[in-house]
Amino acid sequence: MERKVALITGVTGQDGSYLSEFLLDKGYEVHGIIRRSSVDYRERIAHLEGKQNFHLHFGDLGDSMSLVKVVGKVRPTEIYNLAAQSHVQVSFDSPEFTADVDATGVLRVLEAVRACGLEKECRIYQASTSELYGKVEEVPQNENTPFHPYSPYAVAKLYGFWIVKEYREAYDMFCCSGILFNHESERRGETFVTRKITLAAARISQGLQDKLYLGNLDSLRDWGYAKDYVECMWLILQNKKAEDFVIATGVQHSVREFVDYAFKHAGIQLEFRGEGLNEVGVCVGVTGNTNPELVGKTLVAVSEDFYRPTDVVNLWGDPTKARAKLGWNPSKTSFEDLVKIMVESDMAKVAAEGAAAKVRTNLAEYLEKGIVK
Ligand code: G4F
C-alpha cells in the first residue's frame, strides 16, 4: 500500500488544525511539529491529540538540527510548511525574527529534506501569501502579477517563495507555493482584523464590551474560508507538475463592509459617519434580543494605533488557474456565509464565557456569605 505520511509545521495554527483534520480523513498518518513553550497554545488541535494516526514532535523553524531529526525520523511523503510569524503588523516590531522564521526557516525545511536524502520522495508545500503583491501593480492578482512586497513580513515571505522555486529548478524537487489570499475562520487568531471584529460584535451585543477600535477601514481584501483552502493545499501536492497557485475567492470587500455585516449578524445595525481618523460606526437599530439601549451609541471608532507604516490596501485574487488545473472550487463558502459562521461561533463562545463568569461571581458571593462552604 502507498505510504501517505504528512508532516505539518505550524500544526497548532488555524490552517494546521484544519489541514490535519482533512488529511486524517484522507487516511494519512499525520505528524505535526510543535515548539517547546511554557504556555499552552495547543487548543486548536486538542481534539486530535491521542488519535491513532496523529503524532506530535518538538522542533523549530529556527533550529535546523531539530528539523533534520524530525524529517529523518518521520520520513514524510509530503511536508506542509505552514509555520510562520504570520502577523503583518508584528513584522514591523520584530523584523529580524520574522525574517529568520519566514525566510530562512523555509530554507531550513528544504535543506532538512535534502540532508535526509528525501528530495526525490517528499513533496513540499510552502504557505506563501498575497502580501507578496503588496503595493499592487495589477488588480485582480494572478500567478503572473509582479510582486511588490510592502512589509518586513512580505519581504521575508518573498524569499521563501523564491527559494522554493530555486530548489525546484536546481534540484528537481517537487516543491511549490500556494499564494494564499486572506483566509479566516472561527479558529482565526484574535488580533487579525476579521476575528477582532466578530469577537467585538459578539461582546458588544452581549454587553461585555463598549467599543471596537480599528485602523484602516478602507482596506480591501479577498477573504475566504480557511477550511476550504486546506483542500487546495493538498490538491497542489497531488498535481502532476510542481507549480505555484493563487488560492483566493475572486471576490473583494472592505474592512468596513466586514464590520457592517458582522454587526448585523450580531443584531446591531450600524451607520458609518465621518471620514479618516474621525470616522465612527453608530448603532441605528437592533434586532432580536440585543439591548435597545445601544441605539444612538458609537460602537466603532478609528484609532491611529492600528495603522501600519505601509499598508496593503487592494488585494483581490484571481483563482482561475487553481479552478482549471486542480478542479478546486473557490466559491464553496461565500463572504456572507464566512462572516455568519464566525459571528455565530463567537456569539456562542462569548455567551458561554459570560455564563461561566456569572457562576464564578455567584459562587464567590455564596462563599463570602457562608451560603456554601
Ligand atoms: O487581518 P489582517 O491583520 O491581515 P493581513 O495583514 O491582510 O495579513 C493576513 O493575510 C495575509 C494574506 O494576504 C497573510 F499572509 C498574513 O499572514 C495574515 O494572515 O489585516 C487586514 C487589513 C489590513 O489592511 C489592516 O491594515 O485590515 C486592516 N485593519 C484595520 N484595522 C486591521 C485593523 N488589521 C488588524 N489586524 N487590526 C485592526 O485593528
Side-chain angles (χ1 to χ4, degrees):
M1 208 169 66
E2 188 199 353
R3 256 183 105 237
K4 291 201 290 190
V5 182
L7 178 63
I8 304 174
T9 73
V11 71
T12 56
Q14 166 189 264
D15 297 358
S17 64
Y18 283 127
L19 182 65
S20 298
E21 289 167 7
F22 178 85
L23 294 174
L24 285 168
D25 278 352
K26 288 235 167 275
Y28 277 73
E29 189 180 306
V30 175
H31 296 257
I33 296 187
I34 55 169
R35 280 172 298 143
R36 287 198 189 272
S37 167
S38 52
V39 287
D40 185 10
Y41 59 98
R42 283 148 68 164
E43 190 188 338
R44 294 187 184 95
I45 53 164
H47 61 296
L48 301 177
E49 290 190 44
K51 279 202 178 214
Q52 202 193 351
N53 280 333
F54 187 70
H55 311 275
L56 295 175
H57 308 264
F58 286 112
D60 199 306
L61 279 201
D63 175 0
S64 19
M65 278 310 288
S66 71
L67 296 176
V68 172
K69 275 189 203 157
V70 177
V71 172
K73 187 172 165 198
V74 172
R75 301 191 74 76
T77 54
E78 293 172 13
I79 293 182
Y80 295 85
N81 184 36
L82 311 185
Q85 189 302 96
S86 66
H87 205 286
V88 174
Q89 175 73 63
V90 170
S91 77
F92 289 98
D93 302 325
S94 303
E96 191 179 341
F97 172 72
T98 304
D100 189 46
V101 177
D102 298 7
T104 318
V106 185
L107 177 69
R108 293 188 186 106
V109 171
L110 295 166
E111 276 299 306
V113 171
R114 292 187 67 223
C116 296
L118 293 174
E119 60 268 49
K120 293 284 173 272
E121 288 159 48
C122 179
R123 297 185 166 200
I124 303 161
Y125 169 86
Q126 165 60 15
S128 192
T129 165
S130 54
E131 288 290 311
L132 299 189
Y133 300 120
K135 194 176 179 189
V136 301
E137 300 193 2
E138 184 176 274
V139 178
Q141 297 94 34
N142 62 36
E143 291 79 1
N144 300 316
T145 302
F147 296 138
H148 190 146
Y150 211 35
S151 65
Y153 166 80
V155 174
K157 280 284 186 178
L158 188 66
Y159 175 89
F161 177 88
W162 279 109
I163 200 68
V164 162
K165 197 168 156 54
E166 175 58 26
Y167 273 47
R168 185 161 75 218
E169 288 170 19
Y171 305 119
D172 195 25
M173 286 168 74
F174 195 110
C175 44
C176 345
S177 294
I179 305 173
L180 265 68
F181 281 64
N182 296 53
H183 45 292
E184 318 293 314
S185 76
E186 57 275 41
R187 296 185 194 172
R188 185 61 146 148
E190 295 176 12
T191 58
F192 293 95
V193 80
T194 55
R195 189 72 201 290
K196 182 174 166 183
I197 295 167
T198 58
L199 255 183
R203 287 191 178 129
I204 291 173
S205 110
Q206 295 181 38
L208 297 168
Q209 185 174 329
D210 295 331
K211 214 184 257 184
L212 166 65
Y213 289 94
L214 292 168
N216 187 359
L217 298 178
D218 292 317
S219 194
L220 296 162
R221 286 290 183 274
D222 178 329
W223 280 295
Y225 190 28
K227 214 172 177 174
D228 299 341
Y229 283 30
V230 298
E231 182 198 8
C232 199
M233 296 176 187
W234 174 76
L235 286 170
I236 289 175
L237 290 196
Q238 312 316 306
N239 197 28
K240 263 206 184 105
K241 198 173 149 211
E243 284 178 83
D244 305 319
F245 286 89
V246 158
I247 312 183
T249 66
V251 181
Q252 192 188 45
H253 291 276
S254 67
V255 171
R256 187 181 298 97
E257 284 173 275
F258 196 105
V259 176
D260 193 41
Y261 217 78
F263 274 68
K264 209 168 274 164
H265 270 300
I268 300 167
Q269 205 184 329
L270 289 177
E271 192 176 282
F272 285 90
R273 299 173 189 163
E275 272 177 36
L277 283 173
N278 297 318
E279 184 167 355
V280 288
V282 177
C283 174
V284 291
V286 292
T287 55
N289 297 329
T290 311
N291 183 358
E293 283 177 21
L294 289 177
V295 177
K297 288 193 174 150
T298 294
L299 304 182
V300 181
V302 174
S303 161
E304 223 168 345
D305 292 348
F306 300 108
Y307 273 80
R308 296 174 180 177
T310 49
D311 197 14
V312 170
V313 294
N314 197 359
L315 291 181
W316 181 9
D318 174 1
T320 306
K321 183 179 170 188
R323 191 194 280 122
K325 288 198 167 181
L326 304 174
W328 181 66
N329 174 11
S331 322
K332 227 175 181 174
T333 309
S334 67
F335 171 77
E336 290 75 13
D337 286 343
L338 170 65
V339 180
K340 196 164 168 246
I341 291 168
M342 292 178 69
V343 172
E344 280 176 4
S345 164
D346 278 332
M347 287 293 272
K349 180 183 153 82
V350 169
E353 280 169 5
K358 207 166 172 190
V359 169
R360 279 197 299 276
T361 314
N362 288 345
L363 186 62
E365 196 185 318
Y366 295 158
L367 284 168
E368 199 180 304
K369 290 181 178 160
I371 299 171
V372 289
K373 292 195 167 63

